[in-house]
Amino acid sequence: MQVTGKVGALNARNCVGFPGLVLAVLICLSSGIARAGDEDDDSANGVSSAPNVYLDMRTTYARVPAGALAVGFGNSSLLAAVQSAAISNAGSLAAIAGGAAMPGAQSVVVDLPMTIDVNDNVSLYAGVSASSTSTPMTGWSSVALTSWNLGFQADLYNQNGGSIPTLSWQSTITQAIPNGPFATTSFTNVFEFDYAFDQDETRGLLVGVQDTRVVIGSQLATIHSDIMGYVGGYYQWPNNWKFTGRAGVQVFGGAELLGRASVSSFTQPIVRLDLDRMDDNDNRLFGVTAQIMWVPKPAYQITLRTPLYFARN
């Protein structure tokens, strides 16, 4: 959802080229780091471990107040679903053209990214999202595919018991379905520092930044950039339950439709809390995430994470 530069400088040609760039980065990262991992495994026991392969199923319920778009922590599929109901709907556009605010919305989104943990340092994922969204004007919509996504997460540097924290990079592109004149393409990049206090990385501190850019297929609509900075920490108990908390500030540039300021810009706090059940090899078995973002009124989101493993180390 994030790329550098201004949204206005992006066009359809840029959007078409970005997936190829992402794929190239994925191939380079996975082949290079996986090769290094294989060499380490071969030198240790002569056998390289197979990657984790799983469907990282996430089910999200969200409530967004009127006159707002909820970007938040890594919920590009939710953004696509809400926009599909609130922006593309002809009734909403007519109301906005008359000066009314974008309607409030509720949404249930199911993300189905097929994920491969190449090793402890690199994960690749791609999949689709289905959703049903309700607005005061439309009621609940039928369940339908509303976006696809493609991305990766990689550790650019590993602390490994040293004094320099781990630096990770996550990048995702999300394209709304169907690809009509008001369909969105979102780019997200997250850079996060993780300083662990022990060798097993069961407790530590987090510092990160997320940048989100959205491109709309029509020049009649614009969604400006969203930048978030946050701090947090985590603790994992001996029974493999893990709690992670993040709190920060979100700066959103607002949005215009048909030349009118339908969504105001804001600088507001945001909080995310995660509770995960891990196994002895730090594979997630179950997770629940609660998120509150002020946009500027509170928007709420809760996510259940239930990965379905096809291969697990």
Side-chain angles (χ1 to χ4, degrees):
M1 289 186 352
Q2 296 101 355
V3 291
T4 57
K6 299 193 178 204
V7 173
L10 295 171
N11 53 34
R13 196 173 306 159
N14 299 128
C15 298
V16 171
F18 188 81
L21 176 61
V22 172
L23 286 173
V25 173
L26 298 185
I27 293 171
C28 292
L29 285 171
S30 61
S31 61
I33 298 179
R35 190 180 302 115
D38 289 343
E39 290 173 356
D40 292 341
D41 291 337
D42 291 341
S43 62
N45 51 33
V47 179
S48 61
S49 60
N52 288 338
V53 180
Y54 55 100
L55 191 65
D56 194 12
M57 181 175 174
R58 300 188 294 268
T59 305
T60 300
Y61 169 78
R63 178 186 291 270
V64 182
L69 286 175
V71 181
F73 283 101
N75 57 351
S76 55
S77 57
L78 171 64
L79 183 64
V82 172
Q83 289 169 344
S84 176
I87 297 179
S88 299
N89 182 269
S92 297
L93 290 176
I96 293 169
M102 184 178 294
Q106 302 177 70
S107 187
V108 176
V109 182
V110 178
D111 294 314
L112 299 169
M114 182 62 70
T115 305
I116 301 176
D117 293 338
V118 179
N119 52 36
D120 290 341
N121 299 314
V122 176
S123 296
L124 315 177
Y125 53 88
V128 296
S129 300
S131 70
S132 176
T133 302
S134 172
T135 70
M137 304 172 61
T138 63
W140 284 97
S141 64
S142 300
V143 177
L145 293 179
T146 47
S147 65
W148 60 260
N149 60 77
L150 171 71
F152 69 91
Q153 181 169 340
D155 290 343
L156 304 181
Y157 177 84
N158 253 307
Q159 182 178 355
N160 286 332
S163 59
I164 301 177
T166 296
L167 173 60
S168 63
W169 173 27
Q170 182 175 7
S171 184
T172 308
I173 176 174
T174 303
Q175 171 68 60
I177 301 174
N179 191 13
F182 286 94
T184 59
T185 304
S186 302
F187 305 90
T188 301
N189 284 295
V190 182
F191 291 92
E192 185 174 85
F193 288 97
D194 176 350
Y195 183 83
F197 292 120
D198 57 355
Q199 186 68 36
D200 293 333
E201 300 181 352
T202 60
R203 53 195 178 93
L205 298 176
L206 302 171
V207 177
V209 61
Q210 174 180 297
D211 178 70
T212 301
R213 310 281 164 152
V214 180
V215 178
I216 303 180
S218 172
Q219 296 182 352
L220 297 177
T222 301
I223 298 177
H224 298 287
S225 62
D226 180 272
I227 299 175
M228 181 197 312
Y230 61 90
V231 296
Y234 58 90
Y235 183 86
Q236 185 169 334
W237 286 270
N239 61 4
N240 288 332
W241 281 98
K242 182 177 182 180
F243 173 78
T244 306
R246 295 176 177 87
V249 175
Q250 183 175 203
V251 181
F252 178 52
E256 293 84 33
L257 294 176
L258 302 179
R260 298 174 180 268
S262 57
V263 179
S264 300
S265 60
F266 61 80
T267 300
Q268 294 288 340
I270 182 169
V271 176
R272 170 176 164 173
L273 304 175
D274 295 87
L275 182 63
D276 297 294
R277 172 67 172 175
M278 317 296 287
D279 66 11
D280 291 335
N281 294 317
D282 278 343
N283 299 308
R284 181 182 289 103
L285 302 178
F286 169 80
V288 58
T289 298
Q291 186 174 166
I292 304 176
M293 62 200 92
W294 284 261
V295 290
K297 294 180 179 179
Y300 305 95
Q301 178 183 336
I302 185 167
T303 300
L304 296 179
R305 198 164 181 174
T306 51
L308 305 175
Y309 285 89
F310 299 98
R312 176 160 60 99
N313 294 323

